[in-house]
Short mmCIF file of all heavy atoms in Angstrom, two decimals:
data_model
loop_
_atom_site.label_atom_id
_atom_site.label_comp_id
_atom_site.label_asym_id
_atom_site.label_seq_id
_atom_site.Cartn_x
_atom_site.Cartn_y
_atom_site.Cartn_z
N GLN A 1 -3.19 24.03 -4.43
CA GLN A 1 -3.85 23.67 -3.18
C GLN A 1 -4.65 22.37 -3.27
O GLN A 1 -5.23 21.93 -2.27
CB GLN A 1 -4.77 24.82 -2.73
CG GLN A 1 -3.99 26.07 -2.35
CD GLN A 1 -4.88 27.23 -1.98
OE1 GLN A 1 -6.10 27.11 -1.93
NE2 GLN A 1 -4.28 28.38 -1.74
N LEU A 2 -4.66 21.74 -4.44
CA LEU A 2 -5.33 20.45 -4.57
C LEU A 2 -4.50 19.39 -3.87
O LEU A 2 -3.31 19.23 -4.13
CB LEU A 2 -5.50 20.10 -6.05
CG LEU A 2 -6.28 18.82 -6.34
CD1 LEU A 2 -7.75 19.00 -6.00
CD2 LEU A 2 -6.12 18.42 -7.81
N ASP A 3 -5.13 18.66 -2.96
CA ASP A 3 -4.45 17.61 -2.21
C ASP A 3 -4.21 16.41 -3.12
O ASP A 3 -5.14 15.74 -3.55
CB ASP A 3 -5.31 17.20 -1.00
CG ASP A 3 -4.64 16.14 -0.13
OD1 ASP A 3 -3.51 15.72 -0.46
OD2 ASP A 3 -5.26 15.75 0.87
N ARG A 4 -2.94 16.15 -3.41
CA ARG A 4 -2.58 15.05 -4.31
C ARG A 4 -2.37 13.72 -3.58
O ARG A 4 -2.13 12.70 -4.23
CB ARG A 4 -1.32 15.41 -5.09
CG ARG A 4 -1.48 16.57 -6.06
CD ARG A 4 -0.11 17.12 -6.45
NE ARG A 4 -0.17 18.13 -7.47
CZ ARG A 4 -0.56 19.39 -7.28
NH1 ARG A 4 -0.94 19.77 -6.08
NH2 ARG A 4 -0.57 20.26 -8.27
N SER A 5 -2.43 13.72 -2.27
CA SER A 5 -2.02 12.55 -1.52
C SER A 5 -2.92 11.34 -1.77
O SER A 5 -2.50 10.20 -1.55
CB SER A 5 -1.98 12.86 -0.02
OG SER A 5 -3.27 13.17 0.48
N HIS A 6 -4.15 11.56 -2.24
CA HIS A 6 -5.07 10.45 -2.50
C HIS A 6 -5.14 10.06 -3.97
O HIS A 6 -5.82 9.08 -4.31
CB HIS A 6 -6.47 10.81 -2.00
CG HIS A 6 -6.52 11.14 -0.53
ND1 HIS A 6 -6.52 10.18 0.45
CD2 HIS A 6 -6.54 12.33 0.11
CE1 HIS A 6 -6.54 10.76 1.64
NE2 HIS A 6 -6.55 12.06 1.46
N ILE A 7 -4.46 10.80 -4.83
CA ILE A 7 -4.53 10.54 -6.27
C ILE A 7 -3.66 9.34 -6.61
O ILE A 7 -2.47 9.31 -6.29
CB ILE A 7 -4.09 11.77 -7.08
CG1 ILE A 7 -5.04 12.95 -6.81
CG2 ILE A 7 -4.05 11.46 -8.58
CD1 ILE A 7 -4.60 14.27 -7.43
N VAL A 8 -4.27 8.34 -7.25
CA VAL A 8 -3.53 7.12 -7.60
C VAL A 8 -3.19 7.04 -9.09
O VAL A 8 -2.40 6.19 -9.49
CB VAL A 8 -4.30 5.85 -7.17
CG1 VAL A 8 -4.56 5.88 -5.67
CG2 VAL A 8 -5.61 5.70 -7.94
N ALA A 9 -3.80 7.90 -9.91
CA ALA A 9 -3.53 7.87 -11.34
C ALA A 9 -3.79 9.25 -11.94
O ALA A 9 -4.70 9.97 -11.50
CB ALA A 9 -4.38 6.82 -12.05
N TYR A 10 -3.00 9.59 -12.94
CA TYR A 10 -3.15 10.84 -13.68
C TYR A 10 -3.42 10.49 -15.14
O TYR A 10 -2.69 9.69 -15.73
CB TYR A 10 -1.89 11.69 -13.58
CG TYR A 10 -1.58 12.16 -12.17
CD1 TYR A 10 -0.87 11.34 -11.29
CD2 TYR A 10 -2.01 13.40 -11.71
CE1 TYR A 10 -0.59 11.75 -9.99
CE2 TYR A 10 -1.74 13.83 -10.42
CZ TYR A 10 -1.02 13.00 -9.57
OH TYR A 10 -0.75 13.42 -8.28
N VAL A 11 -4.46 11.07 -15.69
CA VAL A 11 -4.88 10.79 -17.06
C VAL A 11 -4.76 12.08 -17.87
O VAL A 11 -5.35 13.11 -17.52
CB VAL A 11 -6.32 10.25 -17.09
CG1 VAL A 11 -6.85 10.21 -18.52
CG2 VAL A 11 -6.38 8.86 -16.46
N LYS A 12 -4.01 12.01 -18.95
CA LYS A 12 -3.80 13.19 -19.80
C LYS A 12 -4.57 13.03 -21.10
O LYS A 12 -4.63 11.93 -21.66
CB LYS A 12 -2.32 13.40 -20.06
CG LYS A 12 -1.53 13.76 -18.80
CD LYS A 12 -0.06 13.96 -19.09
CE LYS A 12 0.68 14.52 -17.88
NZ LYS A 12 0.70 13.57 -16.75
N LYS A 13 -5.15 14.14 -21.58
CA LYS A 13 -5.98 14.10 -22.78
C LYS A 13 -5.67 15.30 -23.66
O LYS A 13 -5.08 16.28 -23.21
CB LYS A 13 -7.46 14.08 -22.41
CG LYS A 13 -7.92 15.23 -21.54
CD LYS A 13 -9.33 14.98 -21.00
CE LYS A 13 -9.80 16.09 -20.07
NZ LYS A 13 -10.03 17.37 -20.75
N GLY A 14 -6.07 15.18 -24.94
CA GLY A 14 -5.78 16.25 -25.89
C GLY A 14 -4.30 16.38 -26.17
O GLY A 14 -3.79 17.48 -26.37
N THR A 15 -3.60 15.25 -26.22
CA THR A 15 -2.14 15.27 -26.34
C THR A 15 -1.65 15.36 -27.79
O THR A 15 -0.47 15.62 -28.01
CB THR A 15 -1.55 14.01 -25.70
OG1 THR A 15 -2.08 12.85 -26.36
CG2 THR A 15 -1.89 13.95 -24.21
N ARG A 16 -2.55 15.13 -28.73
CA ARG A 16 -2.16 15.15 -30.15
C ARG A 16 -2.64 16.44 -30.80
O ARG A 16 -3.75 16.91 -30.52
CB ARG A 16 -2.75 13.95 -30.87
CG ARG A 16 -2.13 12.63 -30.45
CD ARG A 16 -3.00 11.44 -30.76
NE ARG A 16 -3.60 11.47 -32.09
CZ ARG A 16 -4.57 10.65 -32.50
NH1 ARG A 16 -5.04 9.73 -31.66
NH2 ARG A 16 -5.05 10.74 -33.70
N PRO A 17 -1.83 17.04 -31.68
CA PRO A 17 -2.19 18.34 -32.26
C PRO A 17 -3.52 18.34 -32.99
O PRO A 17 -4.27 19.34 -32.94
CB PRO A 17 -1.04 18.64 -33.24
CG PRO A 17 0.10 17.82 -32.76
CD PRO A 17 -0.50 16.58 -32.14
N GLU A 18 -3.84 17.24 -33.65
CA GLU A 18 -5.00 17.22 -34.55
C GLU A 18 -6.28 16.75 -33.89
O GLU A 18 -7.34 16.74 -34.52
CB GLU A 18 -4.70 16.31 -35.76
CG GLU A 18 -4.74 14.82 -35.49
CD GLU A 18 -3.53 14.23 -34.77
OE1 GLU A 18 -2.59 15.02 -34.44
OE2 GLU A 18 -3.49 13.01 -34.55
N LYS A 19 -6.23 16.36 -32.60
CA LYS A 19 -7.41 15.77 -31.98
C LYS A 19 -7.73 16.46 -30.66
O LYS A 19 -6.90 16.49 -29.76
CB LYS A 19 -7.21 14.27 -31.74
CG LYS A 19 -8.47 13.56 -31.25
CD LYS A 19 -8.23 12.07 -31.11
CE LYS A 19 -9.51 11.32 -30.78
NZ LYS A 19 -10.19 11.80 -29.57
N ASP A 20 -8.94 16.99 -30.56
CA ASP A 20 -9.39 17.56 -29.30
C ASP A 20 -9.98 16.46 -28.43
O ASP A 20 -10.37 15.39 -28.94
CB ASP A 20 -10.42 18.66 -29.54
CG ASP A 20 -10.44 19.68 -28.42
OD1 ASP A 20 -9.70 19.49 -27.44
OD2 ASP A 20 -11.18 20.68 -28.53
N ALA A 21 -10.06 16.69 -27.15
CA ALA A 21 -10.60 15.69 -26.23
C ALA A 21 -11.13 16.43 -25.00
O ALA A 21 -10.36 17.02 -24.26
CB ALA A 21 -9.53 14.69 -25.84
N TYR A 22 -12.44 16.38 -24.82
CA TYR A 22 -13.04 16.98 -23.64
C TYR A 22 -13.19 15.96 -22.51
O TYR A 22 -12.96 16.26 -21.35
CB TYR A 22 -14.41 17.58 -23.99
CG TYR A 22 -14.32 18.86 -24.80
CD1 TYR A 22 -14.49 18.85 -26.18
CD2 TYR A 22 -14.06 20.06 -24.18
CE1 TYR A 22 -14.40 20.02 -26.92
CE2 TYR A 22 -13.97 21.24 -24.90
CZ TYR A 22 -14.14 21.22 -26.28
OH TYR A 22 -14.05 22.38 -27.01
N SER A 23 -13.59 14.75 -22.85
CA SER A 23 -13.86 13.74 -21.84
C SER A 23 -12.59 13.12 -21.28
O SER A 23 -11.66 12.80 -22.04
CB SER A 23 -14.73 12.63 -22.43
OG SER A 23 -14.80 11.52 -21.56
N GLY A 24 -12.58 12.90 -19.96
CA GLY A 24 -11.47 12.16 -19.38
C GLY A 24 -11.34 10.76 -19.93
O GLY A 24 -10.25 10.18 -19.90
N PHE A 25 -12.43 10.21 -20.44
CA PHE A 25 -12.40 8.86 -21.00
C PHE A 25 -11.73 8.80 -22.37
O PHE A 25 -11.53 7.71 -22.91
CB PHE A 25 -13.82 8.28 -21.05
CG PHE A 25 -14.32 7.90 -19.68
CD1 PHE A 25 -14.98 8.82 -18.89
CD2 PHE A 25 -14.10 6.63 -19.17
CE1 PHE A 25 -15.43 8.49 -17.61
CE2 PHE A 25 -14.53 6.30 -17.89
CZ PHE A 25 -15.20 7.23 -17.11
N GLU A 26 -11.34 9.95 -22.90
CA GLU A 26 -10.54 10.00 -24.11
C GLU A 26 -9.05 10.07 -23.81
O GLU A 26 -8.23 10.07 -24.74
CB GLU A 26 -10.95 11.21 -24.96
CG GLU A 26 -12.38 11.17 -25.46
CD GLU A 26 -12.74 12.41 -26.25
OE1 GLU A 26 -12.47 12.42 -27.47
OE2 GLU A 26 -13.29 13.36 -25.65
N GLY A 27 -8.70 10.12 -22.53
CA GLY A 27 -7.31 10.24 -22.15
C GLY A 27 -6.72 8.92 -21.68
O GLY A 27 -7.41 7.91 -21.52
N THR A 28 -5.41 8.93 -21.43
CA THR A 28 -4.69 7.76 -20.95
C THR A 28 -3.68 8.19 -19.89
O THR A 28 -3.29 9.36 -19.80
CB THR A 28 -3.92 7.05 -22.08
OG1 THR A 28 -2.95 7.96 -22.63
CG2 THR A 28 -4.86 6.59 -23.18
N ASP A 29 -3.24 7.20 -19.10
CA ASP A 29 -2.14 7.49 -18.18
C ASP A 29 -0.82 7.39 -18.93
O ASP A 29 -0.79 7.17 -20.15
CB ASP A 29 -2.20 6.56 -16.97
CG ASP A 29 -1.89 5.09 -17.30
OD1 ASP A 29 -1.54 4.77 -18.46
OD2 ASP A 29 -2.01 4.25 -16.40
N ASP A 30 0.28 7.56 -18.21
CA ASP A 30 1.59 7.59 -18.88
C ASP A 30 1.97 6.25 -19.50
O ASP A 30 2.87 6.19 -20.34
CB ASP A 30 2.68 8.02 -17.89
CG ASP A 30 2.58 9.50 -17.53
OD1 ASP A 30 1.95 10.25 -18.30
OD2 ASP A 30 3.11 9.90 -16.47
N SER A 31 1.26 5.17 -19.09
CA SER A 31 1.52 3.85 -19.69
C SER A 31 0.58 3.54 -20.84
O SER A 31 0.63 2.43 -21.39
CB SER A 31 1.39 2.77 -18.61
OG SER A 31 2.35 2.95 -17.59
N GLY A 32 -0.28 4.50 -21.18
CA GLY A 32 -1.20 4.30 -22.29
C GLY A 32 -2.51 3.64 -21.92
O GLY A 32 -3.30 3.28 -22.81
N ASN A 33 -2.79 3.48 -20.63
CA ASN A 33 -4.04 2.86 -20.20
C ASN A 33 -5.18 3.88 -20.20
O ASN A 33 -5.06 4.92 -19.55
CB ASN A 33 -3.89 2.28 -18.79
CG ASN A 33 -2.83 1.21 -18.72
OD1 ASN A 33 -2.89 0.22 -19.44
ND2 ASN A 33 -1.84 1.40 -17.84
N PRO A 34 -6.28 3.60 -20.87
CA PRO A 34 -7.41 4.53 -20.86
C PRO A 34 -8.11 4.53 -19.51
O PRO A 34 -8.01 3.58 -18.72
CB PRO A 34 -8.33 4.00 -21.95
CG PRO A 34 -7.94 2.58 -22.16
CD PRO A 34 -6.50 2.45 -21.77
N LEU A 35 -8.83 5.63 -19.23
CA LEU A 35 -9.46 5.80 -17.93
C LEU A 35 -10.40 4.66 -17.58
O LEU A 35 -10.38 4.15 -16.44
CB LEU A 35 -10.22 7.14 -17.91
CG LEU A 35 -11.00 7.46 -16.64
CD1 LEU A 35 -10.14 7.37 -15.40
CD2 LEU A 35 -11.63 8.84 -16.76
N ALA A 36 -11.25 4.24 -18.51
CA ALA A 36 -12.20 3.16 -18.20
C ALA A 36 -11.48 1.89 -17.76
O ALA A 36 -11.90 1.22 -16.82
CB ALA A 36 -13.08 2.87 -19.41
N GLU A 37 -10.37 1.58 -18.41
CA GLU A 37 -9.60 0.39 -18.05
C GLU A 37 -8.97 0.54 -16.67
O GLU A 37 -8.95 -0.40 -15.87
CB GLU A 37 -8.52 0.13 -19.11
CG GLU A 37 -7.71 -1.13 -18.89
CD GLU A 37 -6.72 -1.38 -20.00
OE1 GLU A 37 -7.05 -1.08 -21.17
OE2 GLU A 37 -5.62 -1.87 -19.69
N LEU A 38 -8.44 1.73 -16.39
CA LEU A 38 -7.84 1.98 -15.07
C LEU A 38 -8.86 1.74 -13.96
O LEU A 38 -8.54 1.15 -12.93
CB LEU A 38 -7.35 3.43 -15.00
CG LEU A 38 -6.10 3.80 -15.80
CD1 LEU A 38 -5.92 5.31 -15.78
CD2 LEU A 38 -4.88 3.11 -15.24
N LEU A 39 -10.08 2.20 -14.19
CA LEU A 39 -11.12 2.04 -13.18
C LEU A 39 -11.53 0.58 -13.03
O LEU A 39 -11.66 0.07 -11.91
CB LEU A 39 -12.32 2.90 -13.55
CG LEU A 39 -12.08 4.42 -13.56
CD1 LEU A 39 -13.27 5.15 -14.13
CD2 LEU A 39 -11.75 4.94 -12.16
N ARG A 40 -11.73 -0.10 -14.14
CA ARG A 40 -12.17 -1.50 -14.08
C ARG A 40 -11.10 -2.39 -13.46
O ARG A 40 -11.42 -3.33 -12.73
CB ARG A 40 -12.56 -1.98 -15.47
CG ARG A 40 -13.82 -1.31 -16.01
CD ARG A 40 -14.37 -1.99 -17.23
NE ARG A 40 -15.59 -1.34 -17.68
CZ ARG A 40 -15.68 -0.52 -18.72
NH1 ARG A 40 -14.60 -0.26 -19.45
NH2 ARG A 40 -16.82 0.05 -19.04
N GLN A 41 -9.84 -2.10 -13.74
CA GLN A 41 -8.75 -2.88 -13.14
C GLN A 41 -8.78 -2.81 -11.62
O GLN A 41 -8.33 -3.74 -10.94
CB GLN A 41 -7.40 -2.36 -13.64
CG GLN A 41 -7.07 -2.74 -15.07
CD GLN A 41 -5.80 -2.05 -15.55
OE1 GLN A 41 -5.28 -1.12 -14.91
NE2 GLN A 41 -5.28 -2.49 -16.69
N ARG A 42 -9.32 -1.73 -11.10
CA ARG A 42 -9.37 -1.51 -9.65
C ARG A 42 -10.73 -1.86 -9.06
O ARG A 42 -11.00 -1.56 -7.90
CB ARG A 42 -8.99 -0.07 -9.34
CG ARG A 42 -7.52 0.25 -9.64
CD ARG A 42 -7.26 1.75 -9.64
NE ARG A 42 -5.83 2.05 -9.69
CZ ARG A 42 -5.10 2.07 -10.80
NH1 ARG A 42 -5.69 1.79 -11.98
NH2 ARG A 42 -3.81 2.35 -10.78
N GLY A 43 -11.60 -2.49 -9.84
CA GLY A 43 -12.88 -2.94 -9.35
C GLY A 43 -13.90 -1.84 -9.14
O GLY A 43 -14.86 -2.01 -8.36
N ILE A 44 -13.75 -0.73 -9.85
CA ILE A 44 -14.64 0.41 -9.67
C ILE A 44 -15.93 0.22 -10.47
O ILE A 44 -15.89 -0.13 -11.65
CB ILE A 44 -13.93 1.71 -10.08
CG1 ILE A 44 -12.72 1.97 -9.18
CG2 ILE A 44 -14.90 2.89 -10.06
CD1 ILE A 44 -13.04 2.04 -7.70
N LYS A 45 -17.05 0.48 -9.80
CA LYS A 45 -18.36 0.42 -10.46
C LYS A 45 -19.10 1.75 -10.40
O LYS A 45 -20.03 1.98 -11.18
CB LYS A 45 -19.22 -0.66 -9.80
CG LYS A 45 -18.64 -2.06 -9.95
CD LYS A 45 -19.50 -3.11 -9.26
CE LYS A 45 -18.90 -4.50 -9.42
NZ LYS A 45 -19.70 -5.52 -8.69
N LYS A 46 -18.68 2.63 -9.48
CA LYS A 46 -19.34 3.92 -9.31
C LYS A 46 -18.30 5.03 -9.40
O LYS A 46 -17.19 4.88 -8.87
CB LYS A 46 -20.04 4.00 -7.94
CG LYS A 46 -21.15 2.99 -7.76
CD LYS A 46 -21.69 2.99 -6.34
CE LYS A 46 -20.76 2.28 -5.40
NZ LYS A 46 -21.38 1.91 -4.12
N VAL A 47 -18.64 6.12 -10.07
CA VAL A 47 -17.73 7.26 -10.13
C VAL A 47 -18.45 8.52 -9.67
O VAL A 47 -19.63 8.72 -9.95
CB VAL A 47 -17.13 7.46 -11.54
CG1 VAL A 47 -16.27 6.26 -11.93
CG2 VAL A 47 -18.20 7.70 -12.59
N TYR A 48 -17.71 9.34 -8.97
CA TYR A 48 -18.17 10.65 -8.52
C TYR A 48 -17.30 11.67 -9.25
O TYR A 48 -16.07 11.63 -9.14
CB TYR A 48 -18.02 10.79 -7.01
CG TYR A 48 -19.00 9.96 -6.21
CD1 TYR A 48 -18.91 8.56 -6.18
CD2 TYR A 48 -20.03 10.56 -5.49
CE1 TYR A 48 -19.81 7.79 -5.45
CE2 TYR A 48 -20.93 9.80 -4.75
CZ TYR A 48 -20.82 8.42 -4.74
OH TYR A 48 -21.72 7.67 -4.01
#
């Protein structure tokens, strides 16, 4: 029931067997871009 129509990027984390990851900032999109970079590329300064 989550509306996906506004989602512009998906970030996956905890993808390696030996490394846990709680923070979204430890993840990357399918092209390997980390979350912080994805946000800065789009001119983002505030996150909710």
Side-chain angles (χ1 to χ4, degrees):
Q1 293 177 4
L2 184 70
D3 182 0
R4 294 162 174 76
S5 64
H6 301 281
I7 298 173
V8 302
Y10 296 85
V11 169
K12 294 180 172 66
K13 56 191 177 68
T15 59
R16 291 159 44 192
E18 75 283 1
K19 187 177 187 303
D20 207 356
Y22 287 99
S23 169
F25 287 89
E26 297 178 86
T28 61
D29 68 4
D30 289 340
S31 298
N33 299 304
L35 177 54
E37 183 176 324
L38 288 170
L39 296 172
R40 292 193 178 103
Q41 286 173 348
R42 292 166 170 82
I44 297 303
K45 297 179 181 177
K46 297 173 283 197
V47 296
Y48 289 70

